Amino acid sequence: MIPGVLTVAGSDSGGGAGIQADLKTMLALGVHGMSVITAVTAQNSVGVQGAWELPVEAVRAQYRSVVDDIGVRAVKTGMLSSAELVETVAELIAGTDAPSVVDPVGVSKHGDALLAPSALDSVRTALLPVATVATPNLDEVAHLTGVRVESEDDLRRAAEAVLAFGPRWVVIKGGHLAGDAVDLLTDGSQEHWLRAPRHDKRHTHGTGCTLASAIASQLAKGQTVPEAVMVAKEYVTGAIAAGFALGAGIGPVHHGWNLG
């Protein structure tokens, strides 16, 4: 049986992030990707030109349709733009017997807002408490906790602040810091520092979606959280190294780099 993984996220019409990145990642890592689309965006290499949220009933129906018939071995969340959507998805995940990876998407690679300010409280109080793994970047950490990470030394403080909201594990992504690409994975007792050489690449659209989907894919295969995150980090590092130009702006990472 090929494990099934469900992504609950927005659509990126340019194909570099969101649902499209999630499904490509899942295919590259040998699992069956399924989707619940939460929003449709008009998006390309230079930014997000528009976003339209789907009704909560449509999101719930997609989720139930997949889970009740096919079942899932892991769930991954991405763009959930409103408090109502966040709370609905959190409730659905809480009732699903599978690990969940929460990527608390706040802004796009180009700086476009993808989460209403009013939804931040719902992410803190409803979504993070049901997460097996949360994967915020440094901007998302700042919005959620007020902790600003300026150096590697601040990553532990950031992790403690996010864990206080209830996820079992957190990966604080230090990709925006200088030097090596360093991430901290912790559950509050054990720590794993994940280091990779920094690739001086402009084309990094979709890295956050890709990492979260890679973690979910490996969890669906039965790996532990530390094992899944280490494999996912390796996969994303390779995808960044192979990133390519597309359009006039920031191109995507290469999701199929490991397929030869």
Side-chain angles (χ1 to χ4, degrees):
M1 287 286 291
I2 297 175
V5 182
L6 180 62
T7 170
V8 184
S11 166
D12 171 5
S13 54
I19 288 281
Q20 287 82 350
D22 297 339
L23 295 176
K24 291 173 189 177
T25 299
M26 292 168 190
L27 179 65
L29 292 175
V31 299
H32 175 64
M34 301 171 286
S35 64
V36 171
I37 296 174
T38 60
V40 175
T41 68
Q43 188 173 166
N44 54 26
S45 71
V46 296
V48 179
Q49 292 78 45
W52 298 267
E53 183 182 302
L54 265 69
V56 163
E57 302 76 36
V59 171
R60 186 188 310 258
Q62 290 175 80
Y63 192 101
R64 290 263 61 94
S65 179
V66 171
V67 173
D68 294 347
D69 172 46
I70 302 168
V72 293
R73 294 283 293 276
V75 179
K76 176 261 176 189
T77 71
M79 178 185 176
L80 304 172
S81 49
S82 68
E84 191 182 14
L85 260 185
V86 170
E87 288 162 15
T88 298
V89 172
E91 177 194 329
L92 289 165
I93 288 173
T96 304
D97 186 19
S100 58
V101 180
V102 169
D103 184 18
V105 176
V107 296
S108 76
K109 178 69 69 180
H110 310 90
D112 303 289
L114 299 175
L115 179 73
S118 58
L120 269 176
D121 254 349
S122 299
V123 172
R124 295 183 191 106
T125 60
L127 191 59
L128 288 175
V130 301
T132 307
V133 189
T135 64
N137 64 28
L138 301 187
D139 288 338
E140 290 154 358
V141 167
H143 281 117
L144 288 166
T145 71
V147 173
R148 301 208 168 270
V149 176
E150 306 292 344
S151 70
E152 218 177 284
D153 294 339
D154 298 327
L155 291 175
R156 187 178 283 119
R157 191 162 54 92
E160 287 169 358
V162 177
L163 285 170
F165 293 120
R168 283 175 46 203
W169 292 83
V170 62
V171 182
I172 305 294
K173 300 181 293 195
H176 294 162
L177 295 175
D180 285 349
V182 181
D183 304 327
L184 171 60
L185 166 68
T186 180
D187 64 352
S189 56
Q190 54 179 301
E191 288 183 352
H192 302 268
W193 291 85
L194 307 167
R195 296 179 185 276
R198 181 176 298 280
H199 295 288
D200 188 18
K201 300 282 288 196
R202 180 174 183 233
H203 304 302
T204 55
H205 186 47
T207 47
C209 308
T210 300
L211 179 73
S213 294
I215 295 170
S217 297
Q218 297 306 118
L219 291 175
K221 296 177 188 176
Q223 290 190 332
T224 65
V225 170
E227 288 169 342
V229 173
M230 286 174 200
V231 171
K233 170 83 169 178
E234 211 172 283
Y235 170 75
V236 170
T237 300
I240 291 170
F244 56 95
L246 197 70
I250 299 170
V253 300
H254 187 356
H255 296 97
W257 72 270
N258 63 327
L259 300 177

